[in-house]
Amino acid sequence: MKKVKIKSPANIAFIKYWGQRDKKFFLPYNDSFSMNLSSCYTILEIEIIEEPKIKKLYVKDYDKDKFEIKHDESFEKVINFYNRAKKFLKVKKDYGFIIYSYNSFPKKAGIASSASFFSALALGFSWLFEKKLDKKNLSILARLSGSGSSCRSIPDGFSWWYKGNKSNDSYAVSIAMPSYWDLVDLVLILNKGEKKVSSSEGHQNVETSNLFKYRLLSLEKRIKEIKKAFFKKDFTYFGYLLEEEAISMHSVMMTQKPPIFYWSGKTVELIKKIIEIRKIGIEGYFTIDAGENIHLICQKKDEEKFLKFLKDQKEILQIIVNYPEEGAKFI
Ligand code: DP6
């Protein structure tokens, strides 16, 4: 076989990864927890080339109809990951390859586009190097891409990333299959542009926020409580914790030096509307990653009611409806 095709989902974090206690191995300060997204994914093809000097990356954006060759930092990240992957898997031989990658959604807009891409590439490199890895080692490999959250796109459904003590015990596992809970993530696109500060840049300065140590303290309890609420399917408490967590992470972002403001006025307007509509029994909760777009988490029974309500909101350019999904796989 000279070529394989892989599909891997983005994920939305219910408990966030923000800050690295080890910057070389991308080890997080805390455990994090996420759900894989059915409609936000990367399709990646990797072709093996006889000539090892040939290494190429072609990308097609969700709104384009042609693949474009990349020579920018995205290509550099692929090469850095290739070298780290070789080291991790103790591969000596040099390989030539061509990658074609397509994203089903706007990239770098706070929908974890690098998580879907790098988790797919982790599977791609394991194939290229002829290594059959279990999910644990694939998750570690994905983490070493530098997009830490990609390790949560390897397992199926709902993933828990254990922060671990060292590189070989920091990885994500599935704590429930996609069918466990019929949660829906309505991604509300308010801006299709790319964010100005990347997560990798943001991670570097978390320690400069005076709130960071309080965030870590408060996380100890929130992490335990959200796991309990999840296994009880207590949606109201789960949602409360979800919002508390998003606000906690963004408070750190806004107080680190230099501060990062991912939210826009539109983000705040919509947050208020989501809180308001709960009062009439349409129950949904917001969470936000590194971007201005909102992830509205509700249960399947309320999906239609929300879609009806949201279609009249002028801030929203597009809605992407997501259900829990399997992890990275060959297709
Ligand atoms: C705010 O370093 O994994 O989304 O490289 O952009 O994928 P990317 O980011 P990464 O940090 C993710 C930060 C976050 C929170 C989260 O997903 O846990």
Side-chain angles (χ1 to χ4, degrees):
M1 215 176 7
K2 286 205 60 169
K3 204 181 197 177
V4 282
K5 202 172 190 174
I6 294 158
K7 181 177 178 186
S8 191
N11 64 72
I12 178 63
F14 298 146
I15 293 288
K16 314 286 188 186
Y17 153 52
W18 193 246
Q20 298 153 346
R21 67 174 207 283
D22 182 312
K23 295 183 171 49
K24 186 165 173 231
F25 292 104
F26 311 103
L27 299 178
Y29 277 101
N30 55 274
D31 285 11
S32 56
F33 170 34
S34 61
M35 175 179 113
N36 289 338
L37 305 180
S38 59
S39 304
C40 298
Y41 54 83
T42 296
I43 302 280
L44 184 142
E45 275 190 275
I46 178 162
E47 184 179 351
I48 189 161
I49 304 289
E50 291 306 325
E51 171 52 59
K53 272 197 203 119
I54 298 182
K55 294 183 174 59
K56 287 183 182 161
L57 169 67
Y58 289 90
V59 173
K60 180 154 77 94
D61 285 333
Y62 82 107
D63 53 352
K64 300 267 165 54
D65 45 27
K66 268 201 211 121
F67 280 93
E68 254 177 48
I69 188 155
K70 294 280 173 187
H71 299 290
D72 58 4
E73 28 123 52
S74 55
F75 179 65
E76 216 173 283
K77 282 188 180 166
V78 166
I79 298 299
N80 289 340
F81 182 31
Y82 167 80
N83 290 325
R84 269 184 233 126
K86 272 182 71 178
K87 203 161 170 192
F88 173 65
L89 297 171
K90 300 188 172 61
V91 172
K92 292 273 174 300
K93 186 178 152 189
D94 193 17
Y95 289 81
F97 57 83
I98 303 181
I99 296 165
Y100 295 90
S101 169
Y102 159 77
N103 255 9
S104 70
F105 57 103
K107 62 177 187 192
K108 296 188 184 165
I111 324 175
S113 55
S114 36
S116 58
F117 174 75
F118 282 108
S119 50
L121 193 52
L123 194 54
F125 281 154
S126 71
W127 168 83
L128 183 76
F129 301 146
E130 297 167 77
K131 301 272 182 189
K132 275 213 158 27
L133 300 182
D134 57 11
K135 289 229 169 195
K136 170 184 164 182
N137 280 297
L138 264 177
S139 179
I140 296 175
L141 177 60
R143 194 197 80 235
L144 291 171
S145 68
S147 165
S149 56
S150 64
C151 78
R152 295 189 312 239
S153 289
I154 298 288
D156 293 333
F158 298 88
S159 300
W160 196 276
W161 175 7
Y162 291 100
K163 64 176 179 170
N165 294 311
K166 45 193 179 328
S167 187
N168 59 8
D169 62 5
S170 181
Y171 59 93
V173 299
S174 171
I175 60 164
M177 287 295 126
S179 59
Y180 168 71
W181 201 357
D182 57 357
L183 294 183
V184 182
D185 175 5
L186 301 176
V187 182
L188 314 181
I189 309 281
L190 312 180
N191 184 342
K192 295 189 182 182
E194 296 185 6
K195 61 191 176 209
K196 296 200 173 56
V197 186
S198 70
S199 308
S200 11
E201 221 178 310
H203 285 298
Q204 304 311 312
N205 303 319
V206 283
E207 296 88 353
T208 63
S209 162
N210 291 329
L211 299 184
F212 187 57
K213 56 176 183 293
Y214 297 108
R215 165 165 165 74
L216 291 183
L217 283 177
S218 71
L219 262 172
E220 284 174 25
K221 182 167 174 224
R222 192 152 58 244
I223 281 179
K224 284 191 195 123
E225 296 284 296
I226 206 163
K227 208 177 214 174
K228 268 196 253 162
F230 179 76
F231 283 117
K232 276 204 229 155
K233 294 192 185 163
D234 178 346
F235 186 61
T236 303
Y237 192 40
F238 183 79
Y240 167 81
L241 294 165
L242 192 72
E243 292 189 350
E244 188 183 67
E245 168 61 1
I247 296 167
S248 161
M249 178 183 72
H250 282 270
S251 306
V252 168
M253 290 165 160
M254 291 181 210
T255 49
Q256 57 186 64
K257 291 159 195 74
I260 313 173
F261 297 95
Y262 285 118
W263 296 9
S264 68
K266 289 182 193 167
T267 316
V268 179
E269 280 313 308
L270 263 168
I271 288 178
K272 288 187 195 159
K273 288 180 187 173
I274 293 168
I275 295 173
E276 209 47 41
I277 199 168
R278 277 210 294 267
K279 295 186 184 146
I280 59 161
I282 308 184
E283 198 181 7
Y285 299 87
F286 66 85
T287 184
I288 305 165
D289 275 350
E292 85 176 78
N293 300 320
I294 293 185
H295 294 253
L296 197 166
I297 310 295
C298 66
Q299 296 173 96
K300 181 79 184 131
K301 68 178 174 59
D302 289 318
E303 178 189 331
E304 284 309 317
K305 286 181 219 153
F306 266 115
L307 289 176
K308 216 165 145 201
F309 160 73
L310 294 166
K311 79 172 179 357
D312 299 326
Q313 306 309 318
K314 59 180 186 328
E315 299 88 354
I316 304 174
L317 303 175
Q318 188 191 345
I319 301 176
I320 309 176
V321 182
N322 290 283
Y323 307 115
E325 180 58 289
E326 292 176 347
K329 59 185 177 202
F330 292 109
I331 53 172

